[in-house]
């Protein structure tokens, strides 16, 4: 959270409060001029509709669980935000857009059962500040306010949500990772899917190139033994498997490694490596579509 906030604030020419100010909460996170960022500059960088961040409504998800089938999405639980007042709105939405209780973030370092119960609003809730995921709590409070201000949209209809909410939601966020409801949200046939997983998608997709199982070098396990073990049970390994109605994902070690990194927090260098790969994938996509332009001075 801190590094992400610092990057956005720095890119907008702002300054973060001192450590003592943060500890004493001597600044108002709701101010339009938060972190000395020019409000007009912020709105130019984040105009309404330019950045959509997907979320899953926990209450709708749990009321619809289990889904009709393991491959089913739950579009009724899908939510998104596409307008922001300041940096904290962007940070809060991004933090919750990748939050899965008991799996992601600091929860892995704590008592998972207690934190999972807290996220589900089950049992006692402790707000003594000594335990729990403070990032999620802050983001949850920010999203509750954004919901009251009708900034959180429902599904793909762009309709505002009911702004009413129970007081209990003030200490436990009602929003989780948007991928739980719909991992590849699309609004029409022109929506471009961006994914770190290689495969075949229903829409145009920016993703790694498909590779065969034998082409991927596995440095952590004996590649030959893994291949032989799998072929003992699967003589003919399929190239892909059906993940949902929008995707057939590659069945290879590259995807297995990336899936692990997506679930468990990665080191900074590993994230930078994935960012560079994403840049290369985007460049290849634009080149294949004839949209890549090279400017020379």
């Amino acid at each position: 959270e801190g590094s992400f906030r610092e990057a956005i604030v720095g890119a907008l020419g702002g300054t973060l409060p001192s450590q003592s100010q943060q500890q004493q909460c001597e600044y108002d996170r709701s101010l339009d001029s938060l972190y000395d960022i020019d409000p007009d500059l912020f709105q130019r960088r984040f105009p309404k509709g330019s950045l959509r961040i997907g979320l899953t409504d926990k209450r709708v998800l749990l009321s619809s669980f289990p889904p009709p089938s393991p491959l089913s999405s739950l579009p009724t639980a899908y939510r998104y935000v596409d307008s922001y007042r300041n940096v904290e709105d962007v940070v809060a939405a991004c933090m919750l857009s990748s939050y899965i209780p008991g799996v992601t973030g600091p929860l892995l370092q704590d008592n998972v059962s207690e934190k999972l119960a807290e996220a589900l609003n089950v049992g006692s809730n402790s707000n003594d500040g000594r335990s729990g995921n403070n990032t999620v709590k802050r983001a949850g409070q920010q999203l509750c306010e954004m919901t009251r201000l009708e900034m959180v949209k429902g599904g793909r209809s762009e309709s505002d949500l009911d702004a009413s909410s129970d007081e209990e939601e003030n200490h436990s966020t009602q929003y989780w990772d948007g991928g739980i409801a719909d991992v590849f949200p699309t609004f029409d046939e022109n929506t471009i899917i961006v994914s770190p997983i290689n495969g075949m998608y229903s829409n145009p997709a920016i993703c790694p190139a498909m590779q065969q199982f034998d082409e991927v070098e596995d440095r952590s396990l004996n590649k030959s033994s893994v291949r032989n073990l799998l072929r003992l049970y699967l003589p003919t390994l399929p190239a892909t498997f059906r993940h949902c109605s929008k995707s057939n994902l590659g069945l290879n070690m590259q995807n297995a490694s990336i899936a692990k990194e997506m679930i468990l927090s990665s080191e900074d260098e590993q994230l930078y490596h994935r960012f560079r790969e994403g840049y290369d994938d985007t460049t290849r996509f634009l080149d294949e579509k004839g949209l890549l332009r090279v400017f020379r001075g």
Side-chain angles (χ1 to χ4, degrees):
E1 179 194 20
S3 299
F4 183 66
R5 179 184 291 109
E6 182 179 357
I8 297 180
V9 170
L12 295 172
T15 56
L16 289 169
S18 65
Q19 196 70 23
S20 61
Q21 286 178 311
Q22 294 186 50
Q23 293 175 350
Q24 299 173 17
C25 298
E26 294 179 351
Y27 60 99
D28 186 352
R29 290 178 181 268
S30 64
L31 292 176
D32 290 337
S33 58
L34 186 66
Y35 307 136
D36 295 326
I37 295 174
D38 181 358
D40 292 335
L41 173 61
F42 178 85
Q43 291 303 325
R44 289 198 301 272
R45 293 289 185 88
F46 295 95
K48 183 176 181 179
S50 64
L51 174 63
R52 291 191 177 190
I53 299 176
L55 302 163
T56 294
D57 191 316
K58 173 187 69 177
R59 298 169 300 180
V60 178
L61 176 71
L62 296 181
S63 66
S64 306
F65 195 85
S69 76
L71 298 179
S72 296
S73 61
L74 295 168
T76 56
Y78 185 76
R79 305 286 184 261
Y80 71 89
V81 183
D82 67 351
S83 61
Y84 312 91
R85 299 165 298 171
N86 52 42
V87 169
E88 285 306 312
D89 284 352
V90 178
V91 172
C94 287
M95 293 300 104
L96 293 183
S97 73
S98 60
Y99 169 59
I100 302 176
V103 177
T104 55
L107 291 180
L108 288 174
Q109 302 171 6
D110 298 318
N111 187 318
V112 173
S113 60
E114 289 183 5
K115 303 306 177 285
L116 186 58
E118 179 181 344
L120 296 171
N121 282 354
V122 177
S124 61
N125 289 286
S126 174
N127 273 328
D128 59 6
R130 292 173 297 177
S131 63
N133 191 333
N134 291 328
T135 294
V136 171
K137 290 179 181 177
R138 283 193 296 269
Q141 292 171 355
Q142 193 82 4
L143 262 294
C144 281
E145 180 182 359
M146 294 171 69
T147 301
R148 288 193 293 269
L149 296 174
E150 301 183 344
M151 299 171 65
V152 181
K153 307 294 183 179
R156 298 169 188 77
S157 61
E158 300 189 7
S159 60
D160 297 329
L161 298 180
D162 183 359
S164 62
S165 61
D166 298 331
E167 287 298 321
E168 65 177 351
E169 297 298 345
N170 289 332
H171 59 252
S172 178
T173 178
Q174 69 189 58
Y175 298 112
W176 292 348
D177 188 325
I180 299 174
D182 192 350
V183 67
F184 299 122
T186 55
F187 293 86
D188 54 41
E189 66 276 6
N190 296 317
T191 302
I192 297 175
I193 293 175
V194 180
S195 171
I197 302 293
N198 63 56
M200 301 170 61
Y201 296 88
S202 59
N203 282 49
I206 296 175
C207 64
M210 279 284 293
Q211 292 181 316
Q212 297 301 319
F213 184 85
D214 290 341
E215 294 177 356
V216 182
E217 180 182 3
D218 178 28
R219 294 182 174 85
S220 61
L221 296 173
N222 186 297
K223 175 183 167 185
S224 177
S225 63
V226 171
R227 181 174 63 249
N228 292 335
L229 179 63
L230 287 175
R231 284 181 174 169
L232 181 64
Y233 297 96
L234 297 172
T236 304
L237 286 173
T240 64
F241 71 96
R242 183 176 174 80
H243 171 261
C244 65
S245 61
K246 301 176 184 179
S247 65
N248 287 276
L249 303 182
L251 188 61
N252 49 60
M253 293 301 296
Q254 180 184 12
N255 279 354
S257 175
I258 293 176
K260 176 185 175 183
E261 294 170 6
M262 291 170 62
I263 295 174
L264 304 177
S265 299
S266 302
E267 298 294 332
D268 289 347
E269 184 55 40
Q270 187 62 38
L271 293 176
Y272 292 140
H273 175 68
R274 293 303 178 195
F275 292 154
R276 290 191 292 269
E277 287 187 340
Y279 180 89
D280 293 339
D281 293 336
T282 304
T283 301
R284 187 183 71 255
F285 175 85
L286 294 174
D287 187 37
E288 292 174 351
K289 299 294 182 180
L291 299 174
L292 187 63
R293 299 289 185 270
V294 179
F295 296 92
R296 295 182 174 86

